[in-house]
Amino acid sequence: MNSNRKLMTLDEFTIHQTRQFSNATGELSTLLRDISLACKMINKQVNKAGLGDVLGTHGATNVQGEEQMKLDVYSDQMLINVLRNSSECAGIASEENDDFVAFEDEYSMNSKYVVMFDPLDGSSNIDVNASIGTIFCIYKRVSPLGTPCVEADFLQPGSAMKAAGYVIYGSSTMLVYATKLGVNGFTLEPSIGEFCLSHPGMKVKENGKIYSINQGNTNKLNDKLKSYLNYCMDEEFSHRYIGSMVADLHRTLIKGGIFMYPADLKNKNGKLRLIYECNPMTYIVEKAGGLGTTGNENILDIKPQELHQRVPIFIGSKSMVEKAVEMIN
Ligand code: AHG
Ligand code: MN
Ligand code: MN
């Protein structure tokens, strides 16, 4: 038996990266390990979703008036519990909670970081066994150490982000993680329960041939957006739309393309949330060489006004996003 294995686990990878910087403390790596642990627990429930009492609605609506699924609530609680016990997290804000949660024990109050997340993205796909995900991002708090974190810690522009990632519960489970050093993808090896490096140095193609939008909303779009969609059809781009942002953007990262959720007559600011969805996904895509914009400004430049703020988004291959922006303005 040969033990010269080639697999590199997420932990080994982050330790390796940390060693390259003499002043790195490893705190971000610890936080990432904690988040990945919560996601492995979520993955376990997702995988057996048809068997236990996992599918279906929870019977309540969240702060945004959306019906919560059982898995939305489970995933939210799992992330909160794990991060509350983490030595590196001062508090969290989640798509499923009205307000942010400050962890007020002594360890947490002395932690540097806050985490924002969409615990379960693509809820409408849970019951049909299609890909869903978890999205997260990490910021350094602006409030003083030793005190509970405050709302301002969560309302920082995306440009202040330290790291972001997502987990896709798909045909395999993958964690994609971005820092200023770049974007790397790790596939869960179920037999050892570890995420292992499978997609090092991910880059999004400069150009692509896939457009992704809920085209059923076309009648609610303005004329410029309609003509952009006509342009996509004239170019004979393929249309792909899963309805889970994580899955649509994972495809975009791997194959190139553009993903859009623009403003329309019903969703005046688009549908997707700045803090939990648009910011982390834009950070990841930009670190991979792509672009994310509202059509008027770069997503990461927006100073959030409130936790559950929504913004229009055009994101993906740089040339495709630039072309869209040119046509809709
Ligand atoms: P969530 O399940 O976290 O509420 O997010 C759903 C989002 C996103 O994942 C997806 O891109 C979009 O909603 C789909 O919306 P439509 O059904 O309006 O196309
Ligand atoms: Mn979502
Ligand atoms: Mn969600």
Side-chain angles (χ1 to χ4, degrees):
M1 203 188 304
N2 184 351
S3 66
N4 288 335
R5 68 193 175 96
K6 291 205 179 70
L7 284 184
M8 182 183 253
T9 67
L10 179 62
D11 272 359
E12 288 171 328
F13 179 84
T14 52
I15 290 167
H16 187 77
Q17 276 203 328
T18 307
R19 282 190 185 145
Q20 292 174 32
F21 296 91
S22 53
N23 57 351
T25 58
E27 289 159 317
L28 261 186
S29 312
T30 305
L31 201 44
L32 175 64
R33 192 176 61 216
D34 294 336
I35 294 169
S36 74
L37 170 66
C39 292
K40 282 191 255 184
M41 312 286 257
I42 297 168
N43 181 62
K44 207 175 120 199
Q45 293 301 323
V46 169
N47 279 176
K48 62 176 188 191
L51 295 173
D53 187 24
V54 180
L55 298 180
T57 57
H58 170 69
T61 51
N62 66 15
V63 59
Q64 302 163 68
E66 296 163 339
E67 186 168 51
Q68 287 181 307
M69 306 295 284
K70 285 179 192 156
L71 262 182
D72 283 322
V73 176
Y74 176 87
S75 308
D76 187 48
Q77 287 170 354
M78 183 54 70
L79 278 157
I80 293 176
N81 290 343
V82 169
L83 289 170
R84 192 188 288 281
N85 287 328
S86 168
S87 54
E88 310 300 344
C89 182
I92 63 97
S94 158
E95 183 188 274
E96 297 302 334
N97 293 306
D98 302 12
D99 212 348
F100 67 93
V101 181
F103 301 145
E104 300 202 354
D105 60 283
E106 204 187 320
Y107 265 119
S108 302
M109 286 198 298
N110 282 296
S111 303
K112 280 189 212 157
Y113 295 103
V114 291
V115 181
M116 284 84 124
F117 50 81
D118 175 355
L120 210 286
D121 174 66
S123 303
S124 68
N125 279 321
I126 295 173
D127 286 0
V128 299
N129 215 344
S131 295
I132 50 183
T134 297
I135 311 172
F136 62 90
C137 54
I138 303 172
Y139 290 74
K140 217 173 236 182
R141 61 192 292 191
V142 290
S143 55
L145 286 183
T147 63
C149 61
V150 298
E151 189 175 53
D153 294 322
F154 299 94
L155 296 182
Q156 300 184 58
S159 53
M161 203 180 301
K162 296 298 172 206
Y166 63 79
V167 172
I168 176 166
Y169 312 103
S171 40
S172 65
T173 298
M174 266 191 81
L175 182 148
V176 172
Y177 181 62
T179 63
K180 64 181 179 191
L181 297 177
V183 186
N184 292 284
F186 303 81
T187 301
L188 184 65
E189 163 51 277
S191 64
I192 55 169
E194 295 278 1
F195 285 105
C196 297
L197 184 64
S198 53
H199 295 60
M202 293 174 86
K203 291 281 172 217
V204 59
K205 290 195 179 87
E206 166 77 24
N207 219 329
K209 290 182 179 305
I210 300 175
Y211 72 111
S212 187
I213 184 171
N214 184 340
Q215 203 143 347
N217 290 335
T218 305
N219 287 346
K220 298 195 277 276
L221 300 179
N222 70 30
D223 289 344
K224 286 185 171 166
L225 281 162
K226 281 181 191 156
S227 58
Y228 175 68
L229 295 189
N230 282 326
Y231 158 82
C232 290
M233 289 184 273
D234 291 343
E235 293 289 314
E236 298 185 6
F237 293 158
S238 292
H239 177 251
R240 296 280 183 272
Y241 189 70
I242 296 166
S244 298
M245 188 191 200
V246 165
D248 281 313
L249 276 174
H250 187 64
R251 181 198 57 248
T252 305
L253 258 183
I254 290 189
K255 293 195 165 178
I258 183 169
F259 170 86
M260 297 160 269
Y261 212 114
D264 61 36
L265 285 174
K266 183 172 148 225
N267 306 292
K268 297 261 186 277
N269 296 310
K271 178 185 179 192
L272 299 176
R273 275 104 344 178
L274 173 61
I275 287 183
Y276 317 108
E277 296 171 320
C278 299
N279 265 342
M281 284 307 195
T282 302
Y283 183 90
I284 297 163
V285 165
E286 291 202 356
K287 292 293 176 242
L291 205 58
T293 163
T294 63
N296 294 314
E297 63 180 322
N298 187 299
I299 297 279
L300 300 181
D301 290 338
I302 303 171
K303 168 81 180 78
Q305 299 301 310
E306 49 168 339
L307 289 176
H308 300 288
Q309 183 173 343
R310 296 168 194 261
V311 291
I313 187 167
F314 300 81
I315 181 171
S317 292
K318 196 160 179 278
S319 298
M320 287 184 94
V321 174
E322 282 168 352
K323 178 71 182 171
V325 170
E326 179 195 313
M327 288 190 69
I328 62 173
N329 282 316

